[in-house]
Amino acid sequence: MKILIVEDEAKTGDYLKQGLSEAGFVVDLARDGLDGLHLALTETYDLAVLDVMLPGIDGWKVLQGIRRAGGEFPVLFLTARDGIDDRVHGLESGADDYLVKPFAFAELLARVRTLLRRGTKAREADVLRAADLEVDPLRRRVTRAGRRIDLTAREFALLELLLRRQGEVLPRSLIASQVWDMNFDSDTNVVEVAVRRLRAKIDDDFTPRLIRTVRGMGYALEAPE
Ligand code: CA
Protein backbone atom coordinates (compact mmCIF):
# COMPACT_ATOMS: atom_id res chain seq x y z
CA MET A 1 0.00 0.00 0.00
CA LYS A 2 1.41 3.34 -1.02
CA ILE A 3 0.71 6.62 0.73
CA LEU A 4 1.45 10.18 -0.31
CA ILE A 5 2.09 12.76 2.41
CA VAL A 6 2.07 16.46 1.56
CA GLU A 7 3.32 18.43 4.54
CA ASP A 8 5.59 21.49 4.62
CA GLU A 9 6.52 21.33 8.29
CA ALA A 10 9.72 19.32 8.22
CA LYS A 11 9.27 17.75 11.64
CA THR A 12 5.66 16.68 11.11
CA GLY A 13 6.45 15.40 7.62
CA ASP A 14 9.42 13.30 8.74
CA TYR A 15 7.52 11.99 11.75
CA LEU A 16 4.58 10.91 9.58
CA LYS A 17 6.82 9.36 6.97
CA GLN A 18 8.76 7.39 9.54
CA GLY A 19 5.67 6.27 11.43
CA LEU A 20 3.75 5.14 8.36
CA SER A 21 6.84 3.40 6.94
CA GLU A 22 7.26 1.52 10.19
CA ALA A 23 3.60 0.55 9.99
CA GLY A 24 4.40 -1.17 6.69
CA PHE A 25 3.39 1.40 4.10
CA VAL A 26 5.41 2.71 1.21
CA VAL A 27 5.52 6.47 1.73
CA ASP A 28 6.33 9.43 -0.51
CA LEU A 29 6.70 12.82 1.15
CA ALA A 30 6.23 16.12 -0.70
CA ARG A 31 7.07 19.40 1.05
CA ASP A 32 4.81 21.71 -0.92
CA GLY A 33 1.52 21.66 -2.80
CA LEU A 34 2.89 21.67 -6.33
CA ASP A 35 5.28 18.78 -5.73
CA GLY A 36 2.47 16.94 -3.97
CA LEU A 37 0.04 17.39 -6.84
CA HIS A 38 2.69 16.39 -9.34
CA LEU A 39 3.38 13.16 -7.45
CA ALA A 40 -0.34 12.47 -7.01
CA LEU A 41 -0.87 12.72 -10.76
CA THR A 42 2.18 10.74 -11.85
CA GLU A 43 2.46 7.98 -9.24
CA THR A 44 -0.09 5.46 -8.03
CA TYR A 45 -1.30 5.85 -4.45
CA ASP A 46 -3.81 4.13 -2.23
CA LEU A 47 -4.25 7.17 0.01
CA ALA A 48 -2.99 10.71 0.55
CA VAL A 49 -2.48 12.71 3.75
CA LEU A 50 -2.68 16.42 2.90
CA ASP A 51 -1.83 19.38 5.07
CA VAL A 52 -4.17 22.33 4.41
CA MET A 53 -1.75 25.24 4.66
CA LEU A 54 1.02 24.62 2.15
CA PRO A 55 3.37 26.82 0.19
CA GLY A 56 2.70 27.01 -3.55
CA ILE A 57 -0.87 25.73 -3.71
CA ASP A 58 -2.85 24.78 -0.62
CA GLY A 59 -4.25 21.39 0.32
CA TRP A 60 -7.72 22.13 -1.10
CA LYS A 61 -6.23 22.91 -4.51
CA VAL A 62 -4.15 19.74 -4.41
CA LEU A 63 -7.28 17.73 -3.67
CA GLN A 64 -9.22 19.48 -6.46
CA GLY A 65 -6.42 18.68 -8.88
CA ILE A 66 -6.44 15.02 -7.84
CA ARG A 67 -10.20 14.63 -8.18
CA ARG A 68 -10.32 16.55 -11.46
CA ALA A 69 -7.76 14.17 -12.91
CA GLY A 70 -9.95 11.24 -11.84
CA GLY A 71 -7.93 10.23 -8.77
CA GLU A 72 -10.33 8.38 -6.48
CA PHE A 73 -8.07 7.31 -3.62
CA PRO A 74 -9.09 8.48 -0.15
CA VAL A 75 -7.68 11.75 1.16
CA LEU A 76 -7.18 12.57 4.84
CA PHE A 77 -6.70 16.23 5.70
CA LEU A 78 -4.49 17.60 8.41
CA THR A 79 -5.54 21.00 9.58
CA ALA A 80 -4.28 23.28 12.29
CA ARG A 81 -7.52 25.21 12.10
CA ASP A 82 -10.45 23.33 13.52
CA GLY A 83 -13.06 25.86 12.44
CA ILE A 84 -16.32 24.50 11.12
CA ASP A 85 -15.71 26.38 7.82
CA ASP A 86 -12.71 24.23 7.07
CA ARG A 87 -14.66 21.05 7.54
CA VAL A 88 -17.47 22.17 5.27
CA HIS A 89 -14.99 23.36 2.66
CA GLY A 90 -13.12 20.08 2.82
CA LEU A 91 -16.22 17.94 2.46
CA GLU A 92 -17.31 19.94 -0.57
CA SER A 93 -13.87 19.46 -2.07
CA GLY A 94 -14.10 15.70 -1.68
CA ALA A 95 -11.95 15.02 1.38
CA ASP A 96 -12.68 11.72 3.12
CA ASP A 97 -11.60 12.55 6.63
CA TYR A 98 -9.93 15.14 8.88
CA LEU A 99 -7.49 15.29 11.67
CA VAL A 100 -6.89 18.44 13.65
CA LYS A 101 -3.30 19.22 14.65
CA PRO A 102 -1.85 18.34 17.03
CA PHE A 103 -2.88 14.70 16.77
CA ALA A 104 -1.65 11.41 18.16
CA PHE A 105 0.03 9.16 15.62
CA ALA A 106 -2.08 6.20 16.73
CA GLU A 107 -5.19 8.20 15.83
CA LEU A 108 -3.84 9.00 12.38
CA LEU A 109 -2.89 5.37 11.78
CA ALA A 110 -6.36 4.19 12.80
CA ARG A 111 -8.02 6.67 10.41
CA VAL A 112 -5.66 5.70 7.59
CA ARG A 113 -6.45 2.01 8.06
CA THR A 114 -10.19 2.64 8.13
CA LEU A 115 -10.05 4.69 4.94
CA LEU A 116 -7.95 2.07 3.19
CA ARG A 117 -10.33 -0.72 4.19
CA ARG A 118 -13.26 1.26 2.89
CA GLY A 119 -11.47 2.06 -0.37
CA THR A 120 -10.34 -1.51 -0.80
CA LYS A 121 -13.87 -2.81 -0.40
CA ALA A 122 -15.23 -0.46 -3.05
CA ARG A 123 -12.41 -1.05 -5.50
CA GLU A 124 -11.77 -4.73 -5.09
CA ALA A 125 -15.28 -6.06 -4.99
CA ASP A 126 -14.96 -7.33 -8.52
CA VAL A 127 -13.19 -10.36 -9.82
CA LEU A 128 -10.41 -9.49 -12.27
CA ARG A 129 -10.34 -11.42 -15.54
CA ALA A 130 -8.25 -11.98 -18.63
CA ALA A 131 -9.29 -14.76 -21.01
CA ASP A 132 -9.99 -17.75 -18.71
CA LEU A 133 -7.86 -16.41 -15.86
CA GLU A 134 -9.81 -15.20 -12.83
CA VAL A 135 -8.44 -13.43 -9.79
CA ASP A 136 -10.55 -12.61 -6.76
CA PRO A 137 -8.61 -10.00 -4.77
CA LEU A 138 -10.82 -10.25 -1.69
CA ARG A 139 -10.69 -14.02 -1.35
CA ARG A 140 -7.12 -14.16 -2.68
CA ARG A 141 -8.18 -16.82 -5.17
CA VAL A 142 -6.75 -17.50 -8.59
CA THR A 143 -8.13 -19.89 -11.19
CA ARG A 144 -7.28 -20.53 -14.79
CA ALA A 145 -9.64 -22.59 -16.96
CA GLY A 146 -11.45 -23.39 -13.72
CA ARG A 147 -8.31 -24.86 -12.10
CA ARG A 148 -7.29 -23.49 -8.74
CA ILE A 149 -3.76 -22.02 -8.69
CA ASP A 150 -1.77 -21.32 -5.53
CA LEU A 151 0.42 -18.23 -5.56
CA THR A 152 2.77 -16.73 -3.00
CA ALA A 153 1.86 -13.29 -1.64
CA ARG A 154 4.38 -11.62 -3.98
CA GLU A 155 3.21 -13.56 -6.99
CA PHE A 156 -0.33 -12.62 -6.16
CA ALA A 157 0.57 -8.93 -5.84
CA LEU A 158 2.44 -9.07 -9.14
CA LEU A 159 -0.45 -10.74 -10.95
CA GLU A 160 -2.97 -8.35 -9.46
CA LEU A 161 -0.92 -5.35 -10.59
CA LEU A 162 -0.57 -6.71 -14.13
CA LEU A 163 -4.30 -7.47 -14.28
CA ARG A 164 -5.44 -4.13 -12.93
CA ARG A 165 -3.38 -2.43 -15.61
CA GLN A 166 -4.16 -4.91 -18.35
CA GLY A 167 -2.70 -4.04 -21.74
CA GLU A 168 -0.23 -1.53 -20.31
CA VAL A 169 3.47 -2.16 -20.52
CA LEU A 170 4.71 -1.93 -16.93
CA PRO A 171 8.40 -1.12 -16.52
CA ARG A 172 10.40 -3.33 -14.15
CA SER A 173 11.09 -0.33 -11.93
CA LEU A 174 7.36 0.31 -11.50
CA ILE A 175 6.69 -3.34 -10.73
CA ALA A 176 9.51 -3.33 -8.17
CA SER A 177 8.21 -0.23 -6.44
CA GLN A 178 4.61 -1.48 -6.32
CA VAL A 179 5.20 -5.13 -5.47
CA TRP A 180 8.42 -5.04 -3.45
CA ASP A 181 8.08 -1.54 -2.05
CA MET A 182 11.53 -0.73 -3.24
CA ASN A 183 13.52 1.12 -5.80
CA PHE A 184 16.32 -0.79 -7.41
CA ASP A 185 18.90 -0.57 -10.15
CA SER A 186 18.08 -2.35 -13.36
CA ASP A 187 20.89 -4.86 -12.80
CA THR A 188 18.91 -6.83 -10.25
CA ASN A 189 16.72 -9.52 -11.73
CA VAL A 190 14.24 -9.96 -8.90
CA VAL A 191 11.33 -8.96 -11.14
CA GLU A 192 12.39 -11.28 -13.96
CA VAL A 193 12.65 -14.21 -11.58
CA ALA A 194 9.22 -13.50 -10.12
CA VAL A 195 7.64 -13.15 -13.56
CA ARG A 196 9.19 -16.47 -14.60
CA ARG A 197 7.72 -18.18 -11.53
CA LEU A 198 4.34 -16.61 -12.10
CA ARG A 199 4.36 -17.70 -15.74
CA ALA A 200 5.16 -21.25 -14.75
CA LYS A 201 1.99 -21.27 -12.69
CA ILE A 202 -0.52 -19.33 -14.76
CA ASP A 203 0.78 -19.45 -18.35
CA ASP A 204 3.02 -22.40 -19.17
CA ASP A 205 0.31 -25.05 -19.16
CA PHE A 206 -2.35 -22.92 -20.77
CA THR A 207 -3.29 -21.23 -24.04
CA PRO A 208 -3.21 -18.36 -24.81
CA ARG A 209 -0.18 -17.04 -22.95
CA LEU A 210 -1.13 -13.87 -21.17
CA ILE A 211 2.09 -12.30 -19.87
CA ARG A 212 4.16 -10.70 -22.60
CA THR A 213 7.77 -9.53 -22.29
CA VAL A 214 8.34 -6.22 -24.02
CA ARG A 215 12.07 -6.21 -24.67
CA GLY A 216 13.93 -3.38 -23.01
CA MET A 217 10.71 -2.05 -21.45
CA GLY A 218 8.93 -4.41 -19.12
CA TYR A 219 5.91 -6.68 -19.00
CA ALA A 220 2.29 -6.54 -20.08
CA LEU A 221 -0.60 -8.84 -19.39
CA GLU A 222 -3.26 -9.07 -22.04
CA ALA A 223 -5.66 -11.57 -23.52
CA PRO A 224 -5.29 -11.77 -27.30
CA GLU A 225 -8.45 -10.68 -29.19
CA1 CA B 1 1.46 23.60 6.79
Side-chain angles (χ1 to χ4, degrees), residues 137-180:
L138 271 188
R139 291 179 192 78
R140 316 302 281 179
R141 258 169 75 128
V142 180
T143 61
R144 180 126 195 219
R147 254 162 68 187
R148 180 75 182 269
I149 295 169
D150 289 322
L151 298 182
T152 65
R154 289 278 191 230
E155 289 163 355
F156 193 95
L158 173 61
L159 179 59
E160 188 180 354
L161 174 68
L162 286 163
L163 262 172
R164 285 193 186 279
R165 301 184 58 169
Q166 228 172 113
E168 268 182 71
V169 178
L170 304 183
R172 286 177 186 80
S173 56
L174 180 140
I175 293 173
S177 71
Q178 297 280 315
V179 177
W180 281 265

Side-chain angles (χ1 to χ4, degrees), residues 6-9 31 51-55 78 80 101:
V6 188
E7 168 62 83
D8 60 311
E9 291 160 26
R31 308 272 186 190
D51 185 28
V52 173
M53 302 294 283
L54 290 166
L78 300 179
K101 292 179 181 174

Side-chain angles (χ1 to χ4, degrees), residues 2-9 12-21 25-32 35-37 39 45 47-51 54 76 78 105 108 112:
K2 206 164 167 185
I3 295 181
L4 171 66
I5 300 169
V6 188
E7 168 62 83
D8 60 311
E9 291 160 26
T12 312
D14 293 343
Y15 165 73
L16 285 175
K17 182 172 183 178
Q18 191 189 342
L20 289 170
S21 301
F25 297 101
V26 182
V27 181
D28 283 344
L29 170 62
R31 308 272 186 190
D32 67 56
D35 279 356
L37 182 57
L39 277 175
Y45 294 104
L47 180 140
V49 178
L50 301 181
D51 185 28
L54 290 166
L76 171 72
L78 300 179
F105 182 76
L108 175 107
V112 161

Side-chain angles (χ1 to χ4, degrees), residues 67-142:
R67 296 295 187 239
R68 223 171 263 158
E72 289 174 347
F73 52 82
V75 171
L76 171 72
F77 263 106
L78 300 179
T79 174
R81 306 172 301 175
D82 55 351
I84 195 89
D85 288 354
D86 264 8
R87 287 163 194 267
V88 172
H89 190 162
L91 285 175
E92 283 170 352
S93 309
D96 297 280
D97 202 359
Y98 288 89
L99 217 45
V100 175
K101 292 179 181 174
F103 54 85
F105 182 76
E107 172 74 17
L108 175 107
L109 188 57
R111 303 275 189 104
V112 161
R113 289 195 165 129
T114 302
L115 287 173
L116 284 172
R117 261 199 306 277
R118 218 191 282 160
T120 305
K121 258 184 207 150
R123 260 182 303 139
E124 297 188 351
D126 297 326
V127 172
L128 305 166
R129 289 190 176 84
D132 56 359
L133 172 73
E134 291 191 358
V135 173
D136 183 336
L138 271 188
R139 291 179 192 78
R140 316 302 281 179
R141 258 169 75 128
V142 180

